[in-house]
Amino acid sequence: MATNSTAITTIKKRWERAEFWLEVASVVGGLMVGVGLWVEGETSIGQRLVTGGVALEVICAWWVLVSSRKLQNILEREFETLRLETAQAKQKQAEAELHLGRLKEQVAWRHIPADEFVKALQDGPKARMVNVLYLRDDPECWSLAMEFIDVLSKASWPFSLPEPIKPNDTPPFSLFPSTLSIGANPTGISVEAREFKFPDWDDKTAFGVLTNAIVHCLGGVSPRENKSLPDGIFRIIVGPKEGRFFR
């Protein structure tokens, strides 16, 4: 597109120069006519000057008309090129803004809408205890774990203070993200119970209410079975936000 615009500009300058010299030649033709009329009665050269000047003016006028049309066409092409370049620039700007929005969304910290979460937890029975684990080296995970404690407290659910996930240093688990080494997903939020049926929106058990509250307020959760947990005790594992990986 830039090469095409440069070529149009070059052609435009050539026609503008041509039009300038045509106008100069037309002035010369007018002078020739004037001089010819002045000396017409004294010598035959005057008639020749008049004839040549008129001819020169006619030729110049015709070429000026041609150049004007050429310049008009060039201006229309320039306008079309500018319109296309503007449209492309707007499209690139829109794509850049969309990409920036996605980046902001990706790095933005997750937050729990407290009122909605507390209301959802009040729709069913309570757990005996909720343990919250978080990824130690991710401040966003720690912040979200503290928000879980806050909403559990407001809903009068029993909980223990958040604890960092202890990495499994036994090969091959030592090669995996810490959340994966304890059986949770590498990203996102996992909720564990000793045993459960996969919850649906009508599940009014304590596990179903907790799971549905997380889904409703944070957009997703991975329910998991953990036979090492006592009955009625759940574990929330706060992994990094999707797109972020930490040990």
Side-chain angles (χ1 to χ4, degrees), residues 6 12 39 51 66 77 87 89 117 124 126 140 151 160 167 185 213 224:
T6 302
K12 178 184 176 183
V39 300
T51 303
V66 172
R77 291 171 61 186
F117 199 93
K126 300 176 183 179
E140 193 268 349
V151 293
S160 62
N185 284 351
R224 307 181 67 86

Side-chain angles (χ1 to χ4, degrees), residues 217-239:
C217 295
L218 291 172
V221 67
S222 175
R224 307 181 67 86
E225 188 175 88
N226 186 340
K227 292 296 186 182
S228 66
L229 293 175
D231 289 333
I233 295 181
F234 306 144
R235 187 165 74 165
I236 298 175
I237 302 172
V238 182

Side-chain angles (χ1 to χ4, degrees), residues 19 63-75:
E19 191 173 62
W63 277 106
V64 166
L65 179 62
V66 172
S67 65
S68 297
R69 290 181 177 178
K70 290 288 186 181
L71 286 172
Q72 183 179 358
N73 291 336
I74 290 172
L75 288 174

